[in-house]
């Protein structure tokens, strides 16, 4: 199986080097993988007949092989641009913006079905977190793509269970709703929005940057990031370990069985969760003692957090479900476990989440990993008892309500961009904001603003830049912007709850957005964004 590195390098060669649309490139990669050609090197070294068996066009097959040979002669592919290799900069993802797409590329069900891993890899965004380089960078852009960048990066912290494709789609939904609202306030548009007219009625909603947007659940879509499932790890032992309550535990309870998730490891940190039937808070201490005795390896863990939800006794005066949790040093873990238990309607249940810390901070990824193992442990237990499980945290699409009202005519770049595409139809006949379009919009929207003294100098001739150089510069600009936003959000993430972080994100955007002309004349106008101003918003920097 091809590694993600091989996939990225081959995808870059096809989309950037050979100007191939993204979906066509992925179709070609699928065909090449079918004949065991999974990397640039394997294509370069394979017999031409093998390449032709995958690429039906003989001329195209020969051209592709020659391109792969040329890459190998230059010393092999590189997954990072030179700008990300020195000075302590965070490496870029290695993805440049794809070539101009055909209309059919934006149809949800294209000619090839990508696996979740392939789809998310093709949508990866660059991130450069070199503070010195960030502080010296001034970008020129308009407001809509900056809103999109804020939303996409914010969602890594507020909804970490969402894959990159969902973050892009949800972010574009925020841009569209905000642009439509702004157009009405400027008198450029009249009448109620598609949302006000009921096109999103009956759909679930989420709040992003203070704005509620209608969403569509991507049922059954399962994505994993860099984490690995440890199927044979010692930390997965005692998968159905029994815990006998001591005789002194009131009231006496028969032997019970813990349901255990598969351990998940990322950057040397391992997470595993266990759940058990539990109807008396006085039993918690004895259950924990029995669990640790039966699984001595848990005593070596960095954290053993727990949470429970219990129905009140029939003769008790209270009617509220009793809840309690303990983080054991894993900040926010107890609240997260209770949230997942509420989503799954799990009651009379005790959950224990164990983490072995590997020495590397995981950022918002840890929330996704903790949710995954807790959901798995609850799902296993509820399935054993025959109960119905309805877990939260599903992947989502942002619904394109304006497109639905306009009989399926899609726009790229947000409401009012004027760039219309052919009618779109997606799952269950509902239009969504395509993540590929949102990603392309980000890549093309941020130019480097020249220092004023250089821009005003009549004698200094501007060097001519090739298309490839311009694309690389835009990729770096986007990486620096996303890096500055990640540094900002990371500084506040452990000190604000999700709702407050979401609320403040809009205020932060307003503080750094480009200044444009007031009124209709400023619609779509561009201005400067100083990335150092974003860094100044970090906790402790004001």
């Amino acid at each position: 199986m091809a590694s993600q590195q091989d996939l990225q390098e081959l995808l870059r060669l096809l989309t950037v080097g050979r100007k191939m649309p993204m979906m066509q490139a992925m179709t070609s990669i699928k065909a090449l993988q079918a004949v065991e050609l999974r990397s640039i090197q394997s294509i370069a070294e394979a017999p031409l007949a093998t390449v032709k068996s995958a690429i039906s066009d003989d001329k195209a097959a020969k051209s592709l092989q020659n391109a792969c040979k040329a890459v190998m002669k230059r010393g092999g592919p590189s997954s990072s641009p030179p700008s990300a290799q020195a000075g302590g900069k965070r490496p870029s993802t290695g993805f440049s913006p794809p070539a101009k797409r055909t209309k059919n590329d934006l149809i949800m069900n294209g000619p090839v079905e990508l696996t979740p891993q392939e789809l998310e890899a093709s949508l990866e965004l660059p991130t450069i977190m070199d503070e010195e380089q960030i502080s010296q960078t001034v970008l020129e852009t308009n407001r809509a793509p900056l809103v999109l960048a804020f939303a996409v990066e914010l969602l890594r912290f507020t909804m970490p269970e969402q894959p990159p494709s969902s973050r892009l789609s949800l972010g574009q939904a925020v841009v569209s709703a905000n642009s439509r609202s702004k157009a009405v306030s400027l008198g450029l548009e009249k009448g109620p929005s598609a949302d006000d007219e009921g096109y999103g009625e009956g759909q679930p909603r989420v709040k992003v940057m203070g704005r509620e947007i209608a969403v569509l659940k991507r049922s059954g879509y399962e994505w994993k990031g860099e984490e690995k499932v440890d199927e044979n790890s010692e930390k997965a032992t005692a998968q159905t370990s029994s815990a006998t309550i001591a005789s002194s535990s009131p009231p006496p309870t028969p032997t019970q069985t813990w349901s255990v998730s598969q351990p998940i490891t990322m950057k040397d940190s391992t997470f595993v969760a266990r759940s058990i039937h539990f109807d008396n808070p006085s039993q918690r201490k004895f259950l924990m003692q029995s669990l640790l005795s039966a699984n001595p390896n848990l005593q070596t863990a960095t954290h053993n957090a727990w949470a429970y939800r219990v129905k009140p006794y029939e003769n008790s005066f209270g009617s509220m479900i009793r809840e309690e949790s303990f983080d054991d040093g894993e900040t926010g873990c107890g609240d997260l476990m209770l949230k997942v238990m509420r989503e799954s309607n799990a009651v009379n249940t005790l959950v224990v989440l164990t983490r072995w810390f590997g020495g590397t901070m995981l950022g918002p990824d840890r929330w996704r990993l903790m949710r995954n193992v807790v959901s798995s442990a609850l799902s296993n237990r509820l399935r054993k008892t025959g109960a119905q499980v309805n877990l939260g945290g599903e992947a989502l699409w942002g619904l394109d309500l304006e497109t639905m009202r306009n009989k399926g005519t899609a726009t790229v770049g947000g409401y009012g961009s004027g760039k219309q595409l052919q009618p779109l139809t997606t799952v269950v006949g509902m239009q969504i904001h395509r993540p590929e379009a949102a990603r392309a919009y980000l890549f093309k929207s941020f130019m480097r603003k020249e220092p004023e003294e250089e821009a005003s100098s009549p004698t200094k001739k501007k060097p001519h830049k090739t298309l490839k150089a311009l694309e690389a510069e835009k990729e770096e600009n986007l990486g620096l912007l996303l890096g500055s936003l990640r540094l900002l959000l990371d500084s506040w993430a452990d000190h604000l709850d999700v709702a407050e972080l979401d609320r403040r994100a809009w205020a932060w955007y307003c503080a750094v957005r480009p200044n444009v002309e007031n009124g209709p004349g400023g619609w779509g106008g561009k201005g400067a964004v100083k990335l150092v101003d974003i860094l100044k918003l970090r906790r402790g920097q004001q």
Side-chain angles (χ1 to χ4, degrees), residues 504-520:
R504 293 200 188 189
W506 181 257
W508 292 331
Y509 156 74
C510 291
V512 301
R513 65 188 179 186
N515 291 322
V516 298
E517 180 183 345
N518 291 328

Side-chain angles (χ1 to χ4, degrees), residues 77-386:
S78 173
S79 63
S80 299
S83 62
Q85 298 295 333
K89 303 170 187 174
R90 183 184 179 94
S92 168
T93 63
F95 284 99
S96 288
K100 186 176 181 180
R101 304 168 63 87
T102 64
K103 295 178 181 178
N104 288 335
D105 291 335
L106 295 178
I107 298 179
M108 170 88 175
N109 298 317
V112 61
E113 291 186 6
L114 306 182
T115 66
Q117 196 67 22
E118 290 169 339
L119 174 61
E120 304 308 333
S122 71
L123 296 170
E124 196 169 354
L125 295 171
T127 307
I128 301 174
M129 299 177 68
D130 181 347
E131 292 190 34
E132 182 178 355
Q133 188 180 7
I134 289 172
S135 63
Q136 297 172 357
T137 300
V138 180
L139 302 179
E140 187 171 35
T141 185
N142 55 5
R143 291 181 174 184
L146 186 61
V147 172
L148 178 57
F150 260 88
V152 168
E153 198 59 37
L154 172 69
L155 285 165
R156 291 187 71 255
F157 293 83
T158 58
M159 300 178 68
E161 70 277 5
Q162 294 300 315
S165 58
S166 291
R167 296 174 205 156
L168 286 162
S169 179
L170 295 171
Q172 189 62 49
V174 174
V175 173
S176 180
N178 184 64
S179 297
R180 205 318 175 145
S181 177
K182 186 67 174 177
V184 171
S185 69
L186 294 176
L188 300 175
E189 188 71 28
K190 296 180 180 179
S193 67
D195 199 2
D196 293 336
E197 290 185 353
Y199 280 83
E201 186 176 355
Q203 292 302 125
R205 292 175 177 272
V206 297
K207 182 174 286 188
V208 183
M209 296 184 72
R211 184 177 291 277
E212 281 196 353
I213 56 174
V215 299
L216 179 69
K217 292 184 179 181
R218 302 167 63 180
S219 301
Y221 188 82
E222 296 183 0
W223 163 78
K224 293 182 174 61
E226 300 177 29
E227 66 268 23
K228 297 180 180 179
V229 177
D230 299 343
E231 296 181 358
N232 300 315
S233 169
E234 292 183 0
K235 294 164 186 175
T237 57
Q239 292 190 358
T240 55
S241 59
S242 296
T244 303
I245 308 303
S247 59
S248 58
S249 172
T253 305
T255 300
Q256 301 176 35
T257 300
W258 291 85
S259 297
V260 188
S261 71
Q262 287 186 312
I264 296 178
T265 296
M266 182 177 180
K267 297 179 181 177
D268 297 326
S269 281
T270 298
F271 298 81
V272 64
R274 291 169 167 81
S275 67
I276 195 170
H277 178 78
F278 176 80
D279 56 17
N280 190 331
S282 63
Q283 296 175 355
R284 183 198 56 77
K285 181 178 179 181
F286 299 97
L287 281 169
M288 293 288 295
Q289 290 176 345
S290 300
L291 176 64
L292 295 174
S293 297
N295 299 273
N297 62 318
L298 298 185
Q299 300 179 37
T300 67
T302 315
H303 311 286
N304 281 298
W306 53 263
Y308 68 74
R309 301 183 78 230
V310 178
K311 285 183 178 179
Y313 290 119
E314 292 182 1
N315 59 353
S316 65
F317 293 103
S319 59
M320 298 290 291
I321 292 177
R322 180 172 177 179
E323 298 179 345
E324 191 175 353
S325 66
F326 174 63
D327 289 343
D328 193 26
E330 185 66 74
T331 306
C333 179
D335 287 341
L336 174 70
M337 287 192 285
L338 288 175
K339 180 180 179 181
V340 176
M341 293 170 76
R342 294 186 200 110
E343 291 172 347
S344 61
N345 196 28
V347 292
N348 290 351
T349 301
L350 170 68
V351 177
V352 178
L353 189 148
T354 304
R355 179 185 182 182
W356 288 264
F357 180 58
T360 302
M361 303 298 286
L362 301 182
D365 284 328
R366 76 183 180 97
W367 299 106
R368 173 167 51 84
L369 303 184
M370 290 191 296
R371 171 182 278 276
N372 286 348
V373 293
V374 171
S375 297
S376 175
L378 287 174
S379 179
N380 289 338
R381 191 188 73 78
L382 294 174
R383 189 180 305 117
K384 288 177 182 177
T385 61

Side-chain angles (χ1 to χ4, degrees), residues 317-516:
F317 293 103
S319 59
M320 298 290 291
I321 292 177
R322 180 172 177 179
E323 298 179 345
E324 191 175 353
S325 66
F326 174 63
D327 289 343
D328 193 26
E330 185 66 74
T331 306
C333 179
D335 287 341
L336 174 70
M337 287 192 285
L338 288 175
K339 180 180 179 181
V340 176
M341 293 170 76
R342 294 186 200 110
E343 291 172 347
S344 61
N345 196 28
V347 292
N348 290 351
T349 301
L350 170 68
V351 177
V352 178
L353 189 148
T354 304
R355 179 185 182 182
W356 288 264
F357 180 58
T360 302
M361 303 298 286
L362 301 182
D365 284 328
R366 76 183 180 97
W367 299 106
R368 173 167 51 84
L369 303 184
M370 290 191 296
R371 171 182 278 276
N372 286 348
V373 293
V374 171
S375 297
S376 175
L378 287 174
S379 179
N380 289 338
R381 191 188 73 78
L382 294 174
R383 189 180 305 117
K384 288 177 182 177
T385 61
Q388 295 296 317
V389 58
N390 180 26
L391 298 175
E394 299 96 337
L396 305 170
W397 287 127
L399 282 173
D400 190 349
L401 303 181
E402 296 297 333
T403 293
M404 293 168 64
R405 180 171 64 175
N406 296 334
K407 299 181 180 179
T409 302
T411 59
V412 175
Y415 177 85
S417 68
K419 299 179 180 179
Q420 294 190 337
L421 302 176
Q422 71 175 56
L424 288 181
T425 301
T426 181
V427 288
V428 299
M430 305 186 78
Q431 279 72 41
I432 63 170
H433 288 284
R434 293 300 312 155
E436 300 93 338
R439 180 182 184 273
Y441 187 41
L442 283 173
F443 267 101
K444 72 179 184 181
S445 298
F446 301 99
M447 297 297 296
R448 192 74 58 91
K449 186 172 177 60
E450 298 180 359
E452 292 184 4
E453 59 273 14
E454 292 186 13
S456 60
S457 175
T459 58
K460 191 164 184 178
K461 187 177 180 181
K462 297 181 181 179
H464 176 73
K465 294 182 180 179
T466 64
L467 178 60
K468 185 176 181 180
L470 286 172
E471 289 178 345
E473 182 179 304
K474 289 179 181 178
E475 179 179 0
E476 183 178 60
N477 294 342
L478 177 58
L480 291 166
L481 171 61
L482 295 179
S484 67
L485 293 174
R486 189 165 302 181
L487 289 169
L488 165 62
L489 292 162
D490 191 55
S491 72
W492 288 100
D494 288 337
H495 304 277
L496 302 175
D497 60 26
V498 168
E500 181 64 14
L501 190 65
D502 183 272
R503 187 187 69 81
R504 293 200 188 189
W506 181 257
W508 292 331
Y509 156 74
C510 291
V512 301
R513 65 188 179 186
N515 291 322
V516 298

